[in-house]
Amino acid sequence: MADAASTSGCEGTGSRVDELKSYGVLGSRPRGTVEPHGFEGLDAGCWEDSGEAQLYAERTYVFPGDKADVTQHYRAAAEREGWTPSPATRRSPEASRSTNLCFTRGEADNAAMLDVYFLTEEILDAEESKAGPEFDTGAGYRVSVTASADGSATSCSD
């Protein structure tokens, strides 16, 4: 943890980003899911906001079926990989159509958070991203694993 705490911002965080990229849940997806144009592949790195550096690895998908199938798939995938659901994720109905999911894993310098959330026009606008035609055929969503660059604990905002 001392190494992580002494890191200035994003400097020297490459191996930790690689660790986030290795989580299998990022590549897990319900049958029929596609990567939309402009969002292909795994996006990973480090960003700094207000002096706090955050590490991330994420994938964006579009699923042509019911949102409940997406939430059901990721609840099971996260459980298989050892993620702990947040209190709000535990309380949400299993068949909820639009539930965002949040899980945590690890402690101290290897703590990580997994979010699965449905994309809205507002989210895409804030990212200055455009929804391609694939978004017209189903529900766009993102699977994101994040961690603090300094190794501090991370938790879901329930």
Side-chain angles (χ1 to χ4, degrees):
M1 178 127 141
D3 289 339
S6 67
T7 299
S8 174
C10 290
E11 185 180 326
T13 59
S15 64
R16 182 72 169 115
V17 170
D18 287 343
E19 183 181 328
L20 297 183
K21 290 168 31 178
S22 72
Y23 286 114
V25 70
L26 290 166
S28 177
R29 57 188 180 181
R31 186 178 313 254
T33 300
V34 298
E35 290 180 309
H37 178 71
F39 295 91
E40 299 91 60
L42 179 66
D43 184 21
C46 180
W47 57 270
E48 291 184 65
D49 184 26
S50 304
E52 251 184 79
Q54 286 288 106
L55 310 177
Y56 71 93
E58 62 188 24
R59 287 187 179 269
T60 301
Y61 297 114
V62 173
F63 181 67
D66 194 307
K67 288 181 180 181
D69 293 336
V70 173
T71 58
Q72 181 180 5
H73 174 85
Y74 285 102
R75 280 179 188 270
E79 182 180 313
R80 281 191 305 271
E81 203 168 272
W83 293 89
T84 302
S86 71
T89 295
R90 281 193 302 270
R91 286 190 305 269
S92 67
E94 190 71 30
S96 178
R97 294 178 49 84
S98 60
T99 298
N100 293 333
L101 304 174
C102 188
F103 303 84
T104 58
R105 180 179 171 151
E107 296 179 20
D109 61 345
N110 71 345
M113 184 172 61
L114 166 65
D115 283 309
V116 179
Y117 58 95
F118 293 97
L119 297 169
T120 63
E121 192 172 321
E122 292 79 22
I123 291 171
L124 293 173
D125 285 347
E127 295 175 351
E128 299 179 1
S129 298
K130 297 290 181 207
E134 300 92 345
F135 284 85
D136 294 336
T137 65
Y141 69 94
R142 183 160 295 141
V143 181
S144 176
V145 177
T146 58
S148 174
D150 69 4
S152 60
T154 184
S155 64
C156 300
S157 58
D158 288 338

